């Protein structure tokens, strides 16, 4: 019985130990055959039962030996496959990359910073004054509805149309003009919100960069030159721009800015719908009412403003067809901008 428990408890980790086990228990000189040799000294009436017990012991020893043997073979096989092969090239690290919207936002900022614009920031949750009223949107004017505003529900459940998610970054223009004396020369990148169904061409959250330049003698020519330089830096050094009359409550006169199609260079393609031009920004001279609303004397100062969508510029620059790619976080899409 002592031998049985020794057999059951023994641990074998290598071939040497297995061989020692074999020598001790199984070989011709091992304990088991030694015990069988002693069987002849046992009293004849006990010989039968002792013999039976010895057979049990012998079988158990054989069993254990087989177990140990297969154990050793298995662990040898598995340690061979997981062994480190020092000659193999290392698995490359997965690098993260900048989001295309980040790349383009940084590029836009860089271009305007070189022209002397600084970066300004403001809140995404805004009051009606900063998003609309100060910007010359009359009460109940249809232009307010065109912006598909999200209004903010107060903690008591009441919806006040006074607090909203900004629909454009023009709120920062108002805050700048209220708090700073001209000259003001700033751009305002940021998130904006509009209650629109998500599709390839629209999203309820997107990004804008607006620009504002207020000083004495700022003219429409300054606006044109600034955006012309931007278009050449952003898209193609041979870019041309075109201004089309437009309407915004906060600028007068107002213009949409188109850039000559840098994809087909006028020969015709899908991006410019065979017109040779793609729209990149809204712009105009700051309406004197807006200057006055913000405490700036419109007799002394003039200014221009412009606004563009970062998603739109990014789609143009990289030929991206679906706005939803920006928020799906599909690594196959994002990987294409590594090193861009
Ligand atoms: N705020 C306008 C928009 O969101 C863009 C714009 C900015 C137009 C400045 C003119 C001047 O559509």
């Amino acid at each position: 019985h002592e031998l049985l428990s020794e057999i059951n408890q023994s641990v074998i980790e290598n071939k040497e130990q297995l061989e020692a086990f074999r020598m001790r228990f199984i070989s011709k000189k091992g304990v088991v055959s030694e015990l069988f040799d002693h069987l002849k000294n046992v009293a004849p009436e006990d010989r039968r039962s002792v013999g039976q017990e010895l057979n049990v012991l012998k079988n158990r020893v054989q069993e254990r030996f087989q177990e140990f043997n297969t154990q050793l073979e298995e662990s040898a096989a598995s340690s061979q496959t997981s062994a480190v092969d020092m000659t193999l090239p290392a698995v490359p690290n997965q690098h993260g990359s900048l989001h295309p919207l980040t790349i383009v936002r940084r590029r836009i900022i860089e271009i305007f910073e070189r022209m002397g614009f600084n970066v300004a920031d403001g809140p995404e949750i805004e009051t009606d004054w900063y998003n609309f009223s100060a910007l010359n949107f009359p009460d109940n004017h249809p232009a307010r509805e065109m912006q598909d505003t999200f209004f903010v529900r107060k903690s008591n459940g009441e919806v006040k149309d006074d607090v909203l998610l900004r629909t454009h970054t023009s709120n920062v223009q108002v805050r700048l003009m209220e708090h700073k004396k001209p000259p003001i020369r700033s751009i305002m990148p940021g998130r904006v919100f509009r209650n629109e169904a998500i599709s390839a061409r629209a999203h309820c959250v997107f990004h804008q960069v607006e620009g504002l330049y207020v000083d004495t003698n700022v003219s429409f020519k300054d606006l044109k030159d600034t955006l012309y330089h931007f278009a050449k830096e952003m898209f193609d050094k041979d870019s041309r721009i075109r201004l089309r009359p437009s309407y915004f409550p906060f600028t007068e006169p107002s213009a949409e800015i188109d850039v000559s199609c840098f994809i087909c260079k006028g020969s015709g393609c899908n991006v410019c719908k065979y017109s040779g031009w793609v729209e990149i920004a809204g712009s105009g001279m700051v309406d004197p009412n807006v200057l006055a609303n913000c405490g700036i004397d419109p007799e002394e100062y003039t200014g221009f403003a412009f606004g563009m969508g970062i998603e739109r510029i990014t789609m143009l620059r990289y030929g991206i067809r679906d706005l939803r790619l920006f928020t799906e976080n599909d690594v196959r899409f994002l990987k294409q901008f590594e090193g861009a």
Side-chain angles (χ1 to χ4, degrees), residues 201 259-278 312 315-316 319 321:
R201 330 190 88 244
V259 63
S260 54
C261 186
F262 47 91
I263 312 268
C264 64
K265 308 210 192 263
S267 61
C269 71
N270 265 331
V271 173
C272 63
K273 305 257 160 32
Y274 297 88
S275 70
W277 297 96
V278 285
R312 177 160 176 77
M315 289 169 92
L316 287 172
R321 295 292 188 81

Side-chain angles (χ1 to χ4, degrees), residues 167-168 170 173 194 208 210 248 250-251 282-284 305-307:
T167 59
H168 48 191
S170 309
Q173 296 188 24
R194 292 186 196 180
Q208 283 189 332
E210 292 207 4
F248 300 103
F250 37 92
T251 47
S283 69
F306 58 86

Side-chain angles (χ1 to χ4, degrees), residues 302-316:
T302 52
F304 71 71
F306 58 86
M308 62 185 89
I310 301 182
E311 278 80 356
R312 177 160 176 77
I313 306 282
T314 309
M315 289 169 92
L316 287 172

Side-chain angles (χ1 to χ4, degrees), residues 139-156:
D139 284 347
N140 305 316
H141 190 279
R144 288 183 187 233
E145 264 125 67
M146 277 164 54
Q147 300 247 356
D148 299 309
T149 312
F150 284 117
F151 294 98
V152 174
R153 196 187 293 276
K154 298 206 302 187
S155 54
N156 66 9

Side-chain angles (χ1 to χ4, degrees), residues 44 155 160 162 194 199 279 303:
S155 54
K160 274 190 76 184
D162 189 45
R194 292 186 196 180
S199 73
E279 185 188 318

Side-chain angles (χ1 to χ4, degrees), residues 97-111 234 310 313-314 317-318 320 326 333-340:
S97 54
L98 292 177
H99 193 281
L101 293 176
T102 304
I103 297 172
V104 169
R105 188 192 66 230
R106 289 187 180 179
R107 179 73 186 127
I108 295 172
I109 291 173
E110 181 180 55
I111 294 168
M234 190 74 210
I310 301 182
I313 306 282
T314 309
R317 199 173 137 138
Y318 292 114
I320 297 164
F326 291 131
F333 171 72
L334 297 171
K335 257 184 123 43
Q336 297 175 75
F337 299 92
E338 258 173 37

